[in-house]
Amino acid sequence: MNPVILLIEDDPQIRRFLRASLVTQGYDLIEAGTGREGLALAASRVPDVVLLDLGLPDMEGIEVIKQLRGWSGVPIIVLSARGQERDKVANLDAGADDYLTKPFGVGELLARMRVALRKMVPAEEGRQEGQYFLGNIKVDVERRRVWRGREEVHLTPIEYKLLTVLLKNRGKVVTHRQLLKEVWGPSYIEQNPYLRIFILNLRRKLEDDPTRPQHLLTEPGVGYRLRDE
């Protein structure tokens, strides 16, 4: 069966553009022009991914995210012309999995949809029980050991915890506040310098070229994303 994509968007031109792009790629597309219609379709059709515009005529997109997250774990990718940092952070913190600013390329959207769909598959390609593979990086969660190529990498407890949080959300943008809260605790959510230092240390240990990271990516002003491609 083809993956079912729910598009919640009130702009008819964008809907036509995405309809042509997604259907030719083998996706089944269902469409809603309002937030309430989108929530009803999400409940009745149970889509595999939701593509959500924020500027809906009847309610704010962030409210749609909050209501969906009350009963569904479906991946939500925000498609919005609002490119400011505070908008991205607010919607990701509310439960969105990803955020693309309009205009965006179809290739990038399709890649992020593939990441979202992989998260819904119980047994993922390239993953063994308790193990994760990211290029030449291998993480054995059960044994708490990490390798880069054939060389074992020694991580501090904080570095390892940070890596496992990113692994749990691989492919998804994790905000600074989310990472600080999960790794250091609620009292550290404003301490971004801690996070920058440990991300830099992780890149030095895991990336072939820490100045041009291929796995641990920065989403400027928002957070970090562990590539899942």
Side-chain angles (χ1 to χ4, degrees):
M1 296 179 62
N2 294 335
V4 176
I5 310 301
L6 170 58
L7 172 62
I8 308 176
E9 167 68 69
D10 66 323
D11 187 324
Q13 290 186 334
I14 294 177
R15 285 169 65 170
R16 281 196 299 271
F17 166 69
L18 289 176
R19 188 184 308 133
S21 301
L22 299 181
V23 171
T24 57
Q25 293 293 321
Y27 295 103
D28 289 340
L29 186 67
I30 53 178
E31 303 175 35
T34 67
R36 290 185 179 86
E37 184 185 2
L39 288 168
L41 284 172
S44 63
R45 298 292 299 275
V46 193
D48 296 294
V49 176
V50 173
L51 304 179
L52 174 66
D53 178 42
L54 296 181
L56 299 169
D58 61 335
M59 61 197 300
E60 282 293 314
I62 194 169
E63 183 60 30
V64 176
I65 295 170
K66 291 177 180 178
Q67 290 196 36
L68 270 175
R69 282 294 170 257
W71 52 271
S72 174
V74 62
I76 302 170
I77 301 176
V78 171
L79 309 176
S80 177
R82 303 175 189 175
Q84 294 189 5
E85 176 184 330
R86 64 174 179 269
D87 293 312
K88 296 181 181 180
V89 171
N91 284 275
L92 290 165
D93 279 341
D97 293 88
D98 212 338
Y99 195 113
L100 276 177
T101 303
K102 299 175 182 176
F104 52 83
V106 173
E108 183 176 9
L109 173 61
L110 291 172
R112 299 205 184 193
M113 286 171 57
R114 289 193 294 270
V115 169
L117 288 165
R118 279 202 294 271
K119 287 182 173 53
M120 305 305 289
V121 179
E124 299 174 17
E125 183 178 355
R127 176 181 169 184
Q128 300 174 10
E129 187 67 29
Q131 297 182 352
Y132 295 86
F133 297 88
L134 305 162
N136 66 339
I137 299 169
K138 174 185 173 182
V139 182
D140 188 327
V141 176
E142 293 181 355
R143 299 166 66 191
R144 298 175 66 90
R145 299 175 70 181
V146 181
W147 290 265
R148 189 180 76 183
R150 296 183 178 181
E151 179 183 358
E152 185 168 1
V153 178
H154 297 282
L155 302 183
T156 68
I158 290 290
E159 289 168 353
Y160 182 79
K161 189 173 183 181
L162 181 58
L163 178 61
T164 56
V165 172
L166 290 166
L167 273 172
K168 182 177 66 176
N169 297 281
R170 59 201 181 281
K172 175 181 175 180
V173 180
V174 187
T175 65
H176 299 128
R177 291 171 64 90
Q178 286 175 296
L179 284 168
L180 287 162
K181 182 178 179 181
E182 288 201 45
V183 177
W184 283 274
S187 60
Y188 286 84
I189 59 175
E190 302 298 335
Q191 301 296 326
N192 280 7
Y194 283 120
L195 189 54
R196 285 195 294 270
I197 291 169
F198 280 90
I199 289 291
L200 179 60
N201 288 341
L202 269 180
R203 283 176 172 159
R204 286 172 175 163
K205 293 181 178 182
L206 299 179
E207 298 281 0
D208 293 332
D209 182 355
T211 63
R212 296 181 179 179
Q214 299 298 308
H215 304 292
L216 211 172
L217 308 179
T218 299
E219 295 287 342
V222 179
Y224 298 94
R225 175 167 58 92
L226 198 63
R227 188 191 296 275
D228 187 21
E229 291 290 339

